[in-house]
Amino acid sequence: MGPGPINADPRVLRAMAAQLVGQYDPAMTGYMTETQALYRTVFGTTNEHTLLVDGTARAGIEAALVSLIEPGDRVLVPIFGRFGHLLREIAERAGAEVHVREVPWGQVFTPTAIEQAITETRPKLLAIVHGDTSTTMMQPLDELGEICARHGVLFYTDVTASLGSNTVQTDAWGLDAVTAGLQKCLAGPSGSAPSTFSPRAAGVINARRSIEAGLREPGEVANANPIRSNYFDLSMLFDYWGPKRLNHHTEATTMLYGARECARLLVDEGLPQAVARHRRHGAAMLAGVQGLGLDTFGDLGHKMNNVVAVVIPDGVNGDSVRGALLNDFGIEIGTSFGPLHGKIWRIGTMGYNARQDTVLTTLAALEQVLRRAGASVVGGSGVGAAYDVYADNARQDAL
């Protein structure tokens, strides 16, 4: 019940138990094509270049940035948590001239502030996190695409922590490059990075296309300015996932099975229904921790549906509480990073774990552990507050 990874859905685990298939088997290429179509629905896009990057969510981030950025390019990175710093570091390693804007952790940027920063820095690329689990805040994106288009700026976002539990509309919001991971609200294991790229982003990437020496046809030559990574070269991955099926690497078959099933789960449920489910259980968890008398961190108006930051009470050892929850109840919650390390817990309601039983069990266990740690809590207050949220939801559903 932390900020991810979470328990994988049993359907995903069963899918991953299937026998391996060779990457050129027609069944395998069929699975790849089906997976692309499923993730177009998940991302809310018609982008041709929608695919999996083999690796954790960070692999998707790195593939997007190293393929879009040429050394010397200006990149704007607005930072409101730990993972904005990650985007900055990867962009710097790709040779970018990185410009940073920051707000205190627990806040997000206004569209006006982003546009002002774009006007001041004139970047090629805006790179921003959608939901940052280090602070539990979610940056609104719906107005930023139009701003980027007006200024001729490419727009990349990492939606690893938000996809499946908060609304993500790639085409409607004007997102050019979007990457994610399975281990949070997609209810799968870490190890595959669903990604999608607009025609504009694909044009930038394909302008640097270079085919490996062992695969070149007669007359083809290497690009003088290729993407600096071979494994994360999206121009080659586009060919691998596209009609050419040009060999790049051995596909991570088992992860593809898992990623495909994650997308099937979401599409079967319906994206609006999945967002509503996360909103319902996230609201119950929030009410529950507040019912226990605990303070929360950050601007609740911009909190993600799927994780809440809880201020550790004075006099309570945060790590001891986490340890007791894990050892005595088999429940894991998270701490945080940087300026928030040791100051907050992060409790998630994500994917397969966004359920009433997990919320109520976590709140009941947390109450008992807090009581043993010397904190003053009212018996049953957390579970009672969560029950009230569920009752309100049931009444609304009945109307």
Side-chain angles (χ1 to χ4, degrees):
M1 298 297 286
I6 55 91
N7 299 88
D9 191 288
R11 270 181 54 177
V12 175
L13 297 178
R14 286 195 295 270
M16 294 179 70
Q19 184 55 271
L20 302 184
V21 177
Q23 65 202 66
Y24 298 115
D25 189 307
M28 184 62 177
T29 54
Y31 294 150
M32 293 171 75
T33 299
E34 181 183 351
T35 300
Q36 290 179 283
L38 287 164
Y39 276 101
R40 289 187 186 104
T41 300
V42 171
F43 280 116
T45 186
T46 60
N47 287 341
E48 173 189 358
H49 297 298
T50 302
L51 65 153
L52 303 178
V53 175
D54 288 337
T56 63
R58 189 174 298 211
I61 297 170
E62 187 146 347
L65 294 182
V66 77
S67 295
L68 287 167
I69 295 170
E70 297 183 46
D73 282 343
R74 285 187 185 142
V75 174
L76 172 63
V77 182
I79 298 174
F80 60 100
R82 175 201 168 180
F83 295 101
H85 287 288
L86 174 64
L87 301 190
R88 173 187 191 174
E89 175 164 330
I90 293 174
E92 287 176 340
R93 288 182 182 225
E97 176 190 317
V98 179
H99 296 263
V100 167
R101 297 292 185 271
E102 295 190 56
V103 292
W105 288 25
Q107 299 179 22
V108 297
F109 292 88
T110 64
T112 300
I114 298 291
E115 183 162 22
Q116 180 179 346
I118 287 174
T119 301
E120 292 169 351
T121 61
R122 294 174 292 112
K124 170 183 176 180
L125 175 72
L126 169 68
I128 192 167
V129 174
H130 186 211
D132 195 314
T133 53
S134 67
T135 66
T136 75
M137 296 294 104
M138 185 169 66
Q139 171 65 47
L141 303 180
D142 54 324
E143 297 183 43
L144 302 187
E146 186 276 330
I147 292 170
C148 287
R150 186 153 31 89
H151 291 273
V153 175
L154 288 165
F155 185 6
Y156 163 75
T157 186
D158 165 30
V159 301
T160 300
S162 56
L163 187 64
S165 59
N166 302 268
T167 300
V168 175
Q169 297 181 345
T170 297
D171 290 354
W173 292 352
L175 310 179
D176 289 305
V178 188
T179 66
L182 304 183
Q183 73 274 18
K184 297 183 187 285
C185 300
L186 272 64
S190 181
S192 184
S195 307
T196 189
F197 302 90
S198 72
R200 187 163 70 128
V204 171
I205 291 164
N206 283 327
R208 302 174 68 194
R209 182 174 181 267
S210 190
I211 300 174
E212 291 179 24
L215 299 175
R216 289 179 204 143
E217 298 290 338
E220 290 182 329
V221 297
N223 193 311
N225 184 32
I227 292 164
R228 297 303 176 96
S229 170
N230 178 290
Y231 189 71
F232 294 133
D233 184 332
L234 284 173
S235 70
M236 290 199 285
L237 289 178
F238 290 169
D239 282 342
Y240 184 48
W241 282 82
K244 290 183 179 180
R245 300 293 179 190
L246 190 63
N247 182 56
H248 181 252
H249 65 280
T250 301
E251 180 56 27
T253 308
T254 301
M255 285 310 307
L256 185 142
Y257 295 160
R260 174 174 171 263
E261 197 65 18
C262 287
R264 282 162 50 105
L265 282 163
L266 270 179
V267 172
D268 288 349
E269 181 178 8
L271 270 297
Q273 291 77 11
V275 171
R277 173 169 58 87
H278 282 87
R279 184 183 299 115
R280 179 170 63 255
H281 296 301
M285 183 66 80
L286 172 62
V289 296
Q290 291 175 328
L292 287 170
L294 302 172
D295 293 327
T296 55
F297 171 80
D299 177 2
L300 292 180
H302 289 104
K303 187 187 82 65
M304 287 187 285
N305 291 330
N306 49 303
V307 62
V308 61
V310 180
V311 177
I312 299 171
D314 290 340
V316 171
N317 185 307
D319 288 340
S320 293
V321 167
R322 291 176 61 236
L325 279 171
L326 184 60
N327 295 328
D328 298 344
F329 293 93
I331 296 172
E332 180 187 75
I333 66 172
T335 181
S336 192
F337 311 100
L340 296 180
H341 180 71
K343 296 181 179 179
I344 65 170
W345 296 307
R346 295 176 298 155
I347 305 177
T349 47
M350 297 190 177
Y352 181 66
N353 290 344
R355 310 193 312 264
Q356 180 170 320
D357 63 306
T358 59
V359 170
L360 298 179
T361 302
T362 300
L363 290 169
L366 181 59
E367 176 191 325
Q368 296 306 316
V369 171
L370 283 172
R371 192 186 304 280
R372 291 177 66 83
S376 177
V377 293
V378 179
S381 56
V383 170
Y387 264 133
D388 289 342
V389 170
Y390 288 127
D392 288 343
N393 274 276
R395 283 191 289 270
Q396 290 295 322
D397 291 343
L399 294 178

